[in-house]
Structure formats: structure tokens, C-alpha cells
Amino acid sequence: MGEHAFSDSEYLSRQSEFLEQLPEDSLVLMPTNQVAYRSNDTNFPFRANSYMLYLCGWSDPGAVLMAHHDGTEWITTLFVQPRDTKAEIWEGRRVGVEGAVSGWPINQARSLDDLAEIVNSQLNSCRSVYCLTGLNSELDELVGGASQLEISDPTPILDDMRVLKSEGEIRIMQESADIASASHIAAMRASFPGIGEWQVQSVIEAQFTANKSRWSYPSIVGGGDNATILHYNSNDNEISDGELVLVDAGCEVSGYASDITRTWPVNGKFSDQQREIYELVLKAQLAGIEACQAGSVWLSMHRATSAVLAQGLIDLGILDCSVEEAIGDDMEFNGPYRNFFMHGTGHFLGLDVHDVGGGRQGDKDEGRILQPGMVLTVEPGLYFGSWRTDVEIPDRYAGIGVRIEDNVLITADGPVVLTSSCPKTIDEIEELVGNIG
Ligand code: GLY
Ligand code: MN
Ligand code: MN
């Protein structure tokens, strides 16, 4: 049973902003997620669908939010699991129909048992349907059966809204960022040569839990060469003296994600080679943050980080060409620097860790214009996996992977780093690692 993250009036104004963009003869159907099976008699911990959280804050499984226009105004109806003592003994307490209508920002509530009957009757009196498909098979069948109706995707309208965060959302995202920052600091302090990646993970995630939060994506803890595998998360190797560890871990508060990466030497002292790569990535990251200016196109930050990284790879003797050749096409970024920096510079952040609204729509698009209220990540990296066979890895840097990732709010006065309490300079990190205080 969820708590409300926002006032009723905030949810209601989101609902009307969305619904007022739709034709009045349409029906809106927004299901949340179902509980997902994990293994015999055991399910994955439930996480509500982000659109459901956004529109009404309902965080229990299986619900469907419906909206129809009655000729005068839009009416919202939430279909929920009805009270059922026998089921609740096993699965937990339910809010039920009465609890939903009295406690949530909706006009009416109904039992999910009545979904087919009520939705069918609404389908008979509307012209088009805006439905989130693929989450609720019963609903998909009902809508699929109404072949005379035009089915539209409601998400582009909602995504445009979700891209701009309200003051309330920013407060929650700051809280999420603060918990994740403290978690990385605790993990730096706890590190020593020979520590297991899983032990670093446990320090991070203990902080999440202690703050009534949980991870927003599986924590990545990669020591040595494992830092060069972008989505590494088996976290089952020991980290040897002299290796770097890359930790990409964030939590969620009321559904809102933080997403921080820090990289540190497990023994508390950067080697010369590690320092060279770390300083370069940090310089690129600071340039990326500086590029996060209201009015700039999305691609500006990737251009900024790419220019610094390409120049640095040339200065370190890793690439032997001009900066332009290293980067390649100014839209496609297909030059040889991509061998060592193979992902984007960032993504929107919000209810989804890779939040909706998409920075760029394909290789020909410079992306959205940055506006105050947008929150995104800035996360350049360089990766020199000694295991790589596709490209020659310089011996000096083999086994080094570095990424530095912060969460940045766009404001009219420039970028605000929500994760600024998480240290990232070499001096700060060397001071912290192994310092259990
Ligand atoms: N943690 C996933 C990412 O940084 O995008
Ligand atoms: Mn990220
Ligand atoms: Mn990340």
C-alpha cells in the first residue's frame, strides 16, 4: 500500500493537463504492472508502472486507470483489487475499492472484477482509445476486440509532461540523490584490497535500505577489467590491490531514481596510468555538465564530452589523428574514439532511470532543447578492457575502466548537480577510500 508522494492537487493537475489534450470522445486506459513470477511460489518485489505513479500515485499491482468524458468533464475511474481477507492473509493488505476512492486523487473506484463489463460498455460509446498496451492481457483483449476503434498511444503526450519536473518532483529527486551519494561515500570508506565486489554492493544497498529506499537498477560493481563491461552486475569477483573499482548504483524514492557512478582505486591511491585516465574523464564530465544550459540542444553535452575525450586520447598517444578524425561524423560519432567511449553521455532521469522523453530521436536529430526543470545524467567514461579482441588496447592502460556520473537539473541559472555531495576529485577520493573514520 503506497504513500502519496504528492498533493492531490498536483496529481489532478497532471491528469487534466493530459486529458485536455485528448478528443472528448476518447477513452483512456492506463494499466499498471502485474506481479512478476520469479520461482516457485515466489514473485519479484512489485514495482508499479511509472505512468500510473505519475498520474495518481497508485502503487499496488494490477490496477487500471480509466478516463472518459461525460459530456461535461473528464471522469477518472481506478479499477483495483477488491478487499479479500483470504488473499490478504497471504499477499498483504489491500486498499480496496472504498479505500481507493476516499484516499486517492480519482473520481471513482471499481473492483477489477468489473473491468470487462465496464470497459466494454465504454468501448461501445467512444470513438478512439488511448491505451498503454502490453501490460495487462485482459485489457489488451478487450481493446483488441473493438476493431472499429482507432487505438492510440498515450505515451508521447505524457512523456512530454514527465520530461519537465515540478518543484515537488525535484525535492524527491534531491532526496534520492542524497541517499545514493551517501551510499557511494560509505562504499569508498569500506574499500580495501581484496574486498569482494559483492561486499561493496552490500555496503551500498544497506544504505539504500536503511533510508527506506531501494535500488533503481541492479547495482554495478566492477573491479579491474570488470569495470570495462558496461552492464556488468554479477558482482562476484574479488578486487585486487592496484585495481580500480567502478560502482554504478542509484536508488529510488517514491519511484524517482538517482543514478551515480564513481570509480576509485581499491587501495586508496591512483597509479599514474589510472590518474591519467581518471583526470581525462573528469575533465570531460565537467565540460559535459557545463554544456547543460537551458536553450542548448541535447547533443551539446555529448559534443562537449567527446571533444575533451578525443583530444585527451590523442595527447596520451592512444590515438594518432586529428580531433575531428577521432570523433568522426558530428552527428554519428563514429570515429575511433568510440572504441573507448561506446555509450551516450547521458539520459533523462525521473520515474524511470532511463527516463522517457528521449534526448535524441535517431542519428539525424540534435535532440530536445534543454529547459529548466529537466533532469539528466552526465556520464562519460573510458574503457580499456584487456580482454578486447576487436581493437588494440595500449598495454599502459589495459584493465582500466573509468566512468563518472552525476545527476543534473537544468535551471535558468545554469546546471545544478543534484549529486554534488558525492566526491569525485582525486584528492577527495584518495582521502576517503579505506578511511573508516
Ligand atoms: N545505470 C545505468 C546508466 O548509467 O545509464
Ligand atoms: Mn545513467
Ligand atoms: Mn548509471
Side-chain angles (χ1 to χ4, degrees), residues 231-248:
H231 289 169
Y232 177 82
N233 62 19
S234 57
N235 303 350
D236 56 0
N237 282 275
E238 284 182 10
I239 311 165
S240 305
D241 197 4
E243 286 184 332
L244 292 175
V245 57
L246 182 155
V247 176
D248 183 345

Side-chain angles (χ1 to χ4, degrees), residues 294-307:
S296 298
V297 290
W298 173 267
L299 206 51
S300 309
M301 66 167 175
H302 191 58
R303 289 190 171 131
T305 59
S306 296

Side-chain angles (χ1 to χ4, degrees), residues 217 248-249 259-261 347 379 403 405:
Y217 56 92
D248 183 345
D259 180 9
I260 299 182
T261 308
H347 49 84
E379 50 177 307
R403 178 164 65 255
E405 174 174 28

Side-chain angles (χ1 to χ4, degrees), residues 151-433:
I151 316 291
S152 302
D153 179 3
T155 63
I157 297 173
L158 288 164
D159 294 353
D160 279 348
M161 293 169 56
R162 282 178 53 187
V163 145
L164 295 175
K165 271 67 183 178
S166 68
E167 281 177 19
E169 287 176 297
I170 291 164
R171 263 196 305 278
I172 289 175
M173 292 191 73
Q174 182 67 69
E175 202 183 314
S176 182
D178 288 344
I179 296 169
S181 297
S183 306
H184 280 255
I185 292 171
M188 287 180 203
R189 288 190 187 282
S191 293
F192 56 87
I195 192 172
E197 292 165 346
W198 65 94
Q199 291 170 304
V200 177
Q201 175 187 356
S202 77
V203 174
I204 293 263
E205 294 178 6
Q207 291 286 322
F208 294 168
T209 310
N211 286 284
K212 222 176 163 194
S213 172
R214 56 181 172 177
W215 51 255
S216 51
Y217 56 92
S219 305
I220 296 170
V221 181
D225 253 335
N226 296 334
T228 69
I229 299 168
L230 299 179
H231 289 169
Y232 177 82
N233 62 19
S234 57
N235 303 350
D236 56 0
N237 282 275
E238 284 182 10
I239 311 165
S240 305
D241 197 4
E243 286 184 332
L244 292 175
V245 57
L246 182 155
V247 176
D248 183 345
C251 58
E252 67 178 33
V253 174
S254 300
Y256 287 82
S258 47
D259 180 9
I260 299 182
T261 308
R262 289 292 183 265
T263 310
W264 61 87
V266 78
N267 64 11
K269 184 86 189 126
F270 283 89
S271 69
D272 289 347
Q273 304 89 294
Q274 291 167 349
R275 181 180 283 264
E276 286 159 18
I277 300 302
Y278 190 91
E279 281 177 344
L280 176 51
V281 174
L282 182 56
K283 187 172 174 200
Q285 205 241 4
L286 294 173
I289 292 172
E290 193 51 36
C292 290
Q293 301 292 339
S296 298
V297 290
W298 173 267
L299 206 51
S300 309
M301 66 167 175
H302 191 58
R303 289 190 171 131
T305 59
S306 296
V308 173
L309 292 176
Q311 181 67 58
L313 289 166
I314 294 163
D315 294 344
L316 292 173
I318 298 167
L319 293 179
D320 183 15
C321 57
S322 68
V323 171
E324 291 72 26
E325 284 165 336
I327 293 174
D329 184 272
D330 172 59
M331 296 291 278
E332 291 182 37
F333 304 91
N334 50 4
Y337 91 123
R338 280 313 260 179
N339 289 326
F340 311 109
F341 173 40
M342 51 297 270
H343 54 78
T345 291
H347 49 84
F348 284 125
L349 187 69
L351 282 165
D352 294 312
V353 62
H354 287 184
D355 208 25
V356 294
R360 292 180 85 188
Q361 315 294 333
D363 284 350
K364 301 278 172 276
D365 180 21
E366 291 197 301
R368 287 182 187 260
I369 307 283
L370 299 183
Q371 292 176 55
M374 290 178 170
V375 179
L376 43 81
T377 67
V378 181
E379 50 177 307
L382 286 174
Y383 311 93
F384 302 93
S386 65
W387 51 275
R388 296 267 298 272
T389 51
D390 59 324
V391 62
E392 203 177 321
I393 297 294
D395 284 346
R396 179 172 175 76
Y397 302 112
I400 293 180
V402 173
R403 178 164 65 255
I404 306 171
E405 174 174 28
D406 280 307
N407 304 163
V408 176
L409 166 68
I410 308 293
T411 78
D413 302 322
V416 171
V417 181
L418 301 179
T419 45
S420 61
S421 64
C422 192
K424 62 182 174 185
T425 66
I426 284 185
D427 286 349
E428 287 169 326
I429 287 176
E430 290 191 338
E431 169 69 28
L432 268 174
V433 173

